[in-house]
Short mmCIF file of all heavy atoms in Angstrom, two decimals:
data_model
loop_
_atom_site.label_atom_id
_atom_site.label_comp_id
_atom_site.label_asym_id
_atom_site.label_seq_id
_atom_site.Cartn_x
_atom_site.Cartn_y
_atom_site.Cartn_z
N LEU A 17 5.72 -6.52 4.60
CA LEU A 17 4.87 -5.37 4.43
C LEU A 17 4.58 -4.74 5.80
O LEU A 17 4.17 -5.43 6.71
CB LEU A 17 3.62 -5.71 3.69
CG LEU A 17 2.53 -4.59 3.60
CD1 LEU A 17 3.01 -3.42 2.77
CD2 LEU A 17 1.26 -5.21 3.00
N ARG A 18 4.77 -3.42 5.86
CA ARG A 18 4.36 -2.73 7.14
C ARG A 18 3.36 -1.65 6.81
O ARG A 18 3.56 -0.83 5.85
CB ARG A 18 5.60 -2.09 7.82
CG ARG A 18 5.24 -1.32 9.06
CD ARG A 18 6.47 -1.14 10.00
NE ARG A 18 7.49 -0.39 9.36
CZ ARG A 18 7.64 0.97 9.45
NH1 ARG A 18 6.71 1.63 10.10
NH2 ARG A 18 8.66 1.57 8.86
N LEU A 19 2.24 -1.61 7.53
CA LEU A 19 1.16 -0.68 7.34
C LEU A 19 1.33 0.41 8.40
O LEU A 19 1.30 0.06 9.59
CB LEU A 19 -0.16 -1.38 7.39
CG LEU A 19 -1.43 -0.54 7.19
CD1 LEU A 19 -1.43 0.05 5.80
CD2 LEU A 19 -2.65 -1.43 7.40
N GLU A 20 1.27 1.66 7.99
CA GLU A 20 1.40 2.75 8.92
C GLU A 20 0.30 3.78 8.68
O GLU A 20 0.08 4.18 7.49
CB GLU A 20 2.76 3.45 8.81
CG GLU A 20 2.97 4.70 9.67
CD GLU A 20 4.20 5.46 9.34
OE1 GLU A 20 4.79 5.23 8.24
OE2 GLU A 20 4.58 6.31 10.12
N ILE A 21 -0.29 4.22 9.71
CA ILE A 21 -1.24 5.40 9.59
C ILE A 21 -0.56 6.51 10.32
O ILE A 21 -0.49 6.55 11.56
CB ILE A 21 -2.61 5.07 10.22
CG1 ILE A 21 -3.22 3.87 9.53
CG2 ILE A 21 -3.54 6.26 10.14
CD1 ILE A 21 -4.52 3.37 10.13
N ASN A 22 0.01 7.46 9.56
CA ASN A 22 0.81 8.53 10.13
C ASN A 22 -0.09 9.62 10.67
O ASN A 22 -0.76 10.30 9.91
CB ASN A 22 1.78 9.06 9.04
CG ASN A 22 2.86 9.96 9.64
OD1 ASN A 22 2.56 10.95 10.31
ND2 ASN A 22 4.11 9.65 9.32
N ASN A 23 -0.03 9.80 11.95
CA ASN A 23 -0.89 10.82 12.61
C ASN A 23 -0.50 12.23 12.23
O ASN A 23 -1.29 13.16 12.25
CB ASN A 23 -0.89 10.61 14.16
CG ASN A 23 -1.50 9.30 14.53
OD1 ASN A 23 -2.45 8.87 13.92
ND2 ASN A 23 -0.96 8.71 15.61
N ASP A 24 0.82 12.43 12.00
CA ASP A 24 1.26 13.78 11.69
C ASP A 24 0.84 14.25 10.27
O ASP A 24 0.35 15.34 10.09
CB ASP A 24 2.81 13.85 11.78
CG ASP A 24 3.31 13.67 13.20
OD1 ASP A 24 2.48 13.89 14.13
OD2 ASP A 24 4.47 13.30 13.40
N THR A 25 1.04 13.35 9.31
CA THR A 25 0.75 13.72 7.91
C THR A 25 -0.64 13.28 7.50
O THR A 25 -1.09 13.61 6.41
CB THR A 25 1.78 13.13 6.97
OG1 THR A 25 1.71 11.69 7.04
CG2 THR A 25 3.19 13.52 7.30
N ARG A 26 -1.31 12.45 8.38
CA ARG A 26 -2.63 11.94 8.08
C ARG A 26 -2.62 11.13 6.77
O ARG A 26 -3.56 11.23 5.96
CB ARG A 26 -3.67 13.05 8.03
CG ARG A 26 -3.92 13.67 9.40
CD ARG A 26 -4.85 14.80 9.35
NE ARG A 26 -4.27 16.00 8.72
CZ ARG A 26 -3.49 16.84 9.30
NH1 ARG A 26 -3.12 16.69 10.55
NH2 ARG A 26 -2.96 17.91 8.66
N GLN A 27 -1.55 10.39 6.58
CA GLN A 27 -1.41 9.56 5.35
C GLN A 27 -1.43 8.08 5.76
O GLN A 27 -0.97 7.66 6.82
CB GLN A 27 -0.12 9.85 4.65
CG GLN A 27 -0.12 11.12 3.81
CD GLN A 27 1.11 11.24 2.95
OE1 GLN A 27 2.19 10.90 3.35
NE2 GLN A 27 0.93 11.74 1.73
N LEU A 28 -1.97 7.27 4.83
CA LEU A 28 -1.91 5.81 4.91
C LEU A 28 -0.69 5.37 4.12
O LEU A 28 -0.65 5.61 2.90
CB LEU A 28 -3.21 5.18 4.37
CG LEU A 28 -3.28 3.69 4.37
CD1 LEU A 28 -3.26 3.10 5.79
CD2 LEU A 28 -4.56 3.25 3.69
N VAL A 29 0.27 4.75 4.79
CA VAL A 29 1.57 4.47 4.15
C VAL A 29 1.83 2.97 4.16
O VAL A 29 1.71 2.29 5.19
CB VAL A 29 2.73 5.16 4.87
CG1 VAL A 29 4.05 4.93 4.15
CG2 VAL A 29 2.46 6.67 4.91
N LEU A 30 2.19 2.45 2.98
CA LEU A 30 2.64 1.06 2.90
C LEU A 30 4.16 1.07 2.79
O LEU A 30 4.73 1.72 1.89
CB LEU A 30 2.06 0.37 1.64
CG LEU A 30 0.56 0.28 1.52
CD1 LEU A 30 0.20 -0.42 0.18
CD2 LEU A 30 -0.01 -0.53 2.63
N TRP A 31 4.87 0.44 3.76
CA TRP A 31 6.29 0.34 3.69
C TRP A 31 6.62 -0.99 3.02
O TRP A 31 6.26 -2.06 3.47
CB TRP A 31 6.87 0.35 5.11
CG TRP A 31 6.84 1.73 5.70
CD1 TRP A 31 5.80 2.31 6.41
CD2 TRP A 31 7.87 2.75 5.63
NE1 TRP A 31 6.12 3.56 6.74
CE2 TRP A 31 7.39 3.88 6.33
CE3 TRP A 31 9.15 2.79 5.10
CZ2 TRP A 31 8.14 5.05 6.46
CZ3 TRP A 31 9.91 3.94 5.19
CH2 TRP A 31 9.42 5.04 5.87
N CYS A 32 7.32 -0.84 1.85
CA CYS A 32 7.54 -2.02 0.97
C CYS A 32 9.00 -2.26 0.74
O CYS A 32 9.86 -1.47 1.23
CB CYS A 32 6.84 -1.78 -0.36
SG CYS A 32 5.11 -1.30 -0.17
N MET A 33 9.35 -3.34 0.03
CA MET A 33 10.72 -3.66 -0.21
C MET A 33 11.29 -3.03 -1.49
O MET A 33 12.49 -2.96 -1.64
CB MET A 33 10.87 -5.24 -0.35
CG MET A 33 10.44 -5.97 0.88
SD MET A 33 11.33 -5.55 2.37
CE MET A 33 12.99 -5.93 1.89
N GLY A 34 10.46 -2.59 -2.37
CA GLY A 34 10.91 -1.97 -3.61
C GLY A 34 9.75 -1.75 -4.53
O GLY A 34 8.56 -2.03 -4.24
N GLU A 35 10.05 -1.23 -5.76
CA GLU A 35 8.97 -0.88 -6.67
C GLU A 35 8.20 -2.10 -7.16
O GLU A 35 6.96 -2.03 -7.34
CB GLU A 35 9.59 -0.12 -7.85
CG GLU A 35 9.97 1.30 -7.50
CD GLU A 35 10.48 2.06 -8.71
OE1 GLU A 35 11.37 1.55 -9.41
OE2 GLU A 35 10.03 3.21 -8.92
N ALA A 36 8.91 -3.22 -7.40
CA ALA A 36 8.21 -4.40 -7.84
C ALA A 36 7.25 -4.93 -6.76
O ALA A 36 6.15 -5.43 -7.06
CB ALA A 36 9.25 -5.49 -8.22
N HIS A 37 7.67 -4.81 -5.52
CA HIS A 37 6.79 -5.18 -4.41
C HIS A 37 5.55 -4.31 -4.37
O HIS A 37 4.43 -4.81 -4.16
CB HIS A 37 7.57 -5.03 -3.09
CG HIS A 37 6.93 -5.65 -1.89
ND1 HIS A 37 7.25 -5.31 -0.63
CD2 HIS A 37 5.99 -6.61 -1.79
CE1 HIS A 37 6.53 -6.03 0.19
NE2 HIS A 37 5.77 -6.83 -0.47
N VAL A 38 5.71 -3.01 -4.61
CA VAL A 38 4.60 -2.10 -4.67
C VAL A 38 3.66 -2.49 -5.77
O VAL A 38 2.41 -2.55 -5.57
CB VAL A 38 5.09 -0.66 -4.89
CG1 VAL A 38 3.90 0.31 -5.07
CG2 VAL A 38 5.96 -0.19 -3.68
N ASP A 39 4.18 -2.77 -6.98
CA ASP A 39 3.35 -3.15 -8.07
C ASP A 39 2.49 -4.37 -7.83
O ASP A 39 1.30 -4.40 -8.13
CB ASP A 39 4.23 -3.38 -9.36
CG ASP A 39 4.88 -2.13 -9.88
OD1 ASP A 39 4.43 -1.03 -9.52
OD2 ASP A 39 5.89 -2.27 -10.63
N VAL A 40 3.08 -5.34 -7.15
CA VAL A 40 2.35 -6.59 -6.85
C VAL A 40 1.24 -6.30 -5.82
O VAL A 40 0.15 -6.79 -5.98
CB VAL A 40 3.32 -7.67 -6.35
CG1 VAL A 40 2.57 -8.88 -5.77
CG2 VAL A 40 4.21 -8.14 -7.49
N LEU A 41 1.53 -5.55 -4.80
CA LEU A 41 0.60 -5.22 -3.76
C LEU A 41 -0.63 -4.46 -4.35
O LEU A 41 -1.80 -4.80 -4.05
CB LEU A 41 1.23 -4.42 -2.67
CG LEU A 41 2.28 -5.15 -1.79
CD1 LEU A 41 2.99 -4.19 -0.85
CD2 LEU A 41 1.63 -6.27 -1.00
N LEU A 42 -0.34 -3.44 -5.19
CA LEU A 42 -1.44 -2.67 -5.79
C LEU A 42 -2.25 -3.56 -6.76
O LEU A 42 -3.45 -3.38 -6.87
CB LEU A 42 -0.87 -1.43 -6.47
CG LEU A 42 -0.15 -0.40 -5.55
CD1 LEU A 42 0.27 0.82 -6.30
CD2 LEU A 42 -0.99 -0.07 -4.33
N ASP A 43 -1.54 -4.41 -7.46
CA ASP A 43 -2.22 -5.31 -8.39
C ASP A 43 -3.16 -6.24 -7.64
O ASP A 43 -4.31 -6.46 -8.04
CB ASP A 43 -1.16 -6.17 -9.14
CG ASP A 43 -1.76 -7.01 -10.24
OD1 ASP A 43 -2.49 -7.98 -9.90
OD2 ASP A 43 -1.52 -6.75 -11.44
N ARG A 44 -2.69 -6.76 -6.48
CA ARG A 44 -3.55 -7.68 -5.71
C ARG A 44 -4.75 -6.92 -5.12
O ARG A 44 -5.87 -7.46 -5.04
CB ARG A 44 -2.74 -8.35 -4.62
CG ARG A 44 -1.83 -9.44 -5.15
CD ARG A 44 -1.00 -10.10 -4.11
NE ARG A 44 -0.21 -11.20 -4.69
CZ ARG A 44 0.91 -11.68 -4.20
NH1 ARG A 44 1.39 -11.16 -3.09
NH2 ARG A 44 1.56 -12.65 -4.82
N LEU A 45 -4.51 -5.66 -4.64
CA LEU A 45 -5.63 -4.91 -4.13
C LEU A 45 -6.71 -4.74 -5.19
O LEU A 45 -7.90 -4.88 -4.99
CB LEU A 45 -5.19 -3.52 -3.67
CG LEU A 45 -4.46 -3.45 -2.34
CD1 LEU A 45 -3.91 -2.06 -2.07
CD2 LEU A 45 -5.45 -3.81 -1.20
N ARG A 46 -6.21 -4.47 -6.43
CA ARG A 46 -7.14 -4.16 -7.51
C ARG A 46 -7.81 -5.41 -8.06
O ARG A 46 -9.06 -5.46 -8.23
CB ARG A 46 -6.38 -3.45 -8.65
CG ARG A 46 -7.21 -3.07 -9.87
CD ARG A 46 -6.40 -2.22 -10.83
NE ARG A 46 -5.14 -2.82 -11.24
CZ ARG A 46 -3.94 -2.44 -10.82
NH1 ARG A 46 -3.83 -1.41 -9.96
NH2 ARG A 46 -2.84 -3.04 -11.22
N ASN A 47 -7.04 -6.48 -8.32
CA ASN A 47 -7.59 -7.62 -9.02
C ASN A 47 -8.12 -8.75 -8.15
O ASN A 47 -8.99 -9.49 -8.50
CB ASN A 47 -6.53 -8.21 -10.00
CG ASN A 47 -6.23 -7.21 -11.16
OD1 ASN A 47 -7.08 -6.87 -11.97
ND2 ASN A 47 -4.98 -6.70 -11.15
N ARG A 48 -7.46 -8.90 -6.95
CA ARG A 48 -7.94 -9.94 -6.00
C ARG A 48 -9.00 -9.47 -5.09
O ARG A 48 -9.96 -10.23 -4.80
CB ARG A 48 -6.74 -10.47 -5.23
CG ARG A 48 -7.09 -11.62 -4.29
CD ARG A 48 -5.96 -12.08 -3.44
NE ARG A 48 -4.86 -12.64 -4.21
CZ ARG A 48 -3.70 -13.10 -3.67
NH1 ARG A 48 -3.49 -12.94 -2.35
NH2 ARG A 48 -2.76 -13.64 -4.42
N TYR A 49 -8.90 -8.24 -4.64
CA TYR A 49 -9.82 -7.73 -3.63
C TYR A 49 -10.78 -6.62 -4.19
O TYR A 49 -11.64 -6.14 -3.45
CB TYR A 49 -9.09 -7.21 -2.43
CG TYR A 49 -8.23 -8.28 -1.75
CD1 TYR A 49 -6.86 -8.14 -1.77
CD2 TYR A 49 -8.81 -9.39 -1.15
CE1 TYR A 49 -6.04 -9.13 -1.18
CE2 TYR A 49 -8.01 -10.37 -0.61
CZ TYR A 49 -6.67 -10.22 -0.60
OH TYR A 49 -5.87 -11.22 -0.03
N GLY A 50 -10.59 -6.26 -5.45
CA GLY A 50 -11.51 -5.24 -6.07
C GLY A 50 -11.42 -3.89 -5.44
O GLY A 50 -12.46 -3.21 -5.37
N VAL A 51 -10.20 -3.45 -5.03
CA VAL A 51 -10.02 -2.16 -4.38
C VAL A 51 -9.09 -1.30 -5.24
O VAL A 51 -7.94 -1.73 -5.45
CB VAL A 51 -9.50 -2.28 -2.96
CG1 VAL A 51 -9.31 -0.92 -2.31
CG2 VAL A 51 -10.39 -3.14 -2.08
N GLU A 52 -9.55 -0.15 -5.69
CA GLU A 52 -8.70 0.76 -6.43
C GLU A 52 -8.14 1.78 -5.45
O GLU A 52 -8.88 2.38 -4.68
CB GLU A 52 -9.49 1.49 -7.53
CG GLU A 52 -9.89 0.59 -8.73
CD GLU A 52 -8.66 0.40 -9.70
OE1 GLU A 52 -7.65 1.08 -9.45
OE2 GLU A 52 -8.79 -0.41 -10.60
N VAL A 53 -6.85 1.96 -5.58
CA VAL A 53 -6.17 3.02 -4.70
C VAL A 53 -5.33 3.88 -5.60
O VAL A 53 -4.92 3.49 -6.70
CB VAL A 53 -5.30 2.40 -3.61
CG1 VAL A 53 -6.15 1.56 -2.61
CG2 VAL A 53 -4.19 1.54 -4.19
N ASP A 54 -5.05 5.09 -5.15
CA ASP A 54 -4.23 6.03 -5.84
C ASP A 54 -2.96 6.25 -5.01
O ASP A 54 -3.06 6.48 -3.76
CB ASP A 54 -4.93 7.36 -6.12
CG ASP A 54 -6.15 7.15 -6.98
OD1 ASP A 54 -6.10 6.41 -7.92
OD2 ASP A 54 -7.19 7.79 -6.69
#
């Protein structure tokens, strides 16, 4: 996982391996750490 804060677009970007990787990361944010993201 690579975390990027893009100064040009002012976006917080997660660089992942694929959609399943994304699903797991967002699931862990939500259910393990109690953080909801869009």
Side-chain angles (χ1 to χ4, degrees):
L17 170 65
R18 178 159 63 88
L19 180 63
E20 175 191 16
I21 301 175
N22 192 304
N23 294 325
D24 292 339
T25 62
R26 293 177 287 279
Q27 284 189 320
L28 180 62
V29 181
L30 301 179
W31 287 86
C32 309
M33 299 303 300
E35 287 184 309
H37 193 201
V38 175
D39 291 343
V40 168
L41 292 172
L42 298 186
D43 186 293
R44 285 179 177 157
L45 281 174
R46 180 172 54 252
N47 293 295
R48 183 184 292 178
Y49 301 115
V51 180
E52 286 282 352
V53 297
D54 299 320

